Amino acid sequence: MAAFWLMKSEPDECSIDDLARAPGQCVPWIGVRNYQARNFMRDAMRVGDGVLFYHSSCAVPGIAGLAEVASAPHADDSQFDPASPYHDAQSKPDAPRWQCVDVRLVKKTRLLPLTEMRVLPQLATMQVLQRGSRLSITPVTPAEWAAVTALLET
DNA sequence: GCCAACGTTGGC
DNA sequence: GCCAACGTTGGC
């Protein structure tokens, strides 16, 4: 049984349109530098899991499309790139600290704004809506997934 | 730019 | 292992 996730991306870095233009409409989810979020990718995600693609730190934050986990976990190359903002000098190539998965577009949807999500009782349990929640990757329950995907059809 | 909330670091 | 200081996230 596949699981479901919400993954935040800053559209300045990688928007839903950037994902749509990427080769194979697939990108490695680089740049996660939080252990809890890394552990979700490294330990819990499976190929085929559903992903809510969320735009954060932008004019209208919200869910911008549906995607899926498209690879097993692998090393995040940006940790070894001194020119990258995600460079981690402490991480050694023989023991990479940061892992990521590839994420493939399923479909771009209408934008479901955070403000709309906040007033919908069926979404009230979503982790991304909880007070003080900052985690860039959060699990989504089957019920939440069903509610969000239904809303995106409307 | 502000600031609440949370994560990480490092002295002890 | 505690916890204060500092850094980051991310909505507004």
Side-chain angles (χ1 to χ4, degrees), chain A residues 3-4 9 12 16 35 46 57 68 70-71 73 78 83 90 94 100 108-109 113-114 119 128 135 139:
Chain A
F4 304 104
S9 181
D12 287 352
I16 193 81
Y35 289 105
R46 298 293 178 266
S57 288
E68 64 183 1
S71 81
S78 67
Q90 251 114 60
D94 56 343
C100 65
K108 183 180 177 179
T109 62
L114 178 61
V119 300
V128 73
L135 204 53

Side-chain angles (χ1 to χ4, degrees), chain A residues 12-147:
Chain A
D12 287 352
E13 293 256 332
C14 180
S15 69
I16 193 81
D17 292 324
D18 293 329
L19 181 60
R21 282 191 293 264
Q25 302 193 319
C26 189
V27 296
W29 205 261
I30 62 161
V32 169
R33 294 294 179 266
N34 169 284
Y35 289 105
Q36 226 183 318
R38 178 206 65 182
N39 292 349
F40 285 139
M41 290 195 286
R42 189 190 62 182
D43 306 332
M45 285 188 180
R46 298 293 178 266
V47 170
D49 280 0
V51 173
L52 301 174
F53 191 101
Y54 180 93
H55 282 174
S56 71
S57 288
C58 56
V60 187
I63 293 167
L66 302 178
E68 64 183 1
V69 175
S71 81
H74 57 85
D76 175 343
D77 291 336
S78 67
Q79 69 196 304
F80 303 124
D81 178 2
S84 167
Y86 305 121
H87 181 235
D88 181 350
Q90 251 114 60
S91 184
K92 302 296 170 221
D94 56 343
R97 177 179 296 180
W98 303 110
Q99 304 268 120
C100 65
V101 298
D102 296 347
V103 172
R104 183 186 301 120
L105 181 69
V106 171
K107 67 171 172 177
K108 183 180 177 179
T109 62
R110 78 167 175 104
L111 185 75
L112 176 61
L114 178 61
T115 50
E116 187 178 336
M117 295 171 68
R118 286 206 184 281
V119 300
L120 294 167
Q122 66 270 40
L123 302 188
T125 56
M126 290 189 73
Q127 264 187 239
V128 73
L129 302 182
Q130 304 313 304
R131 175 188 169 86
S133 166
R134 299 187 315 180
L135 204 53
S136 66
I137 299 175
T138 49
V140 171
T141 68
E144 291 161 356
W145 175 270

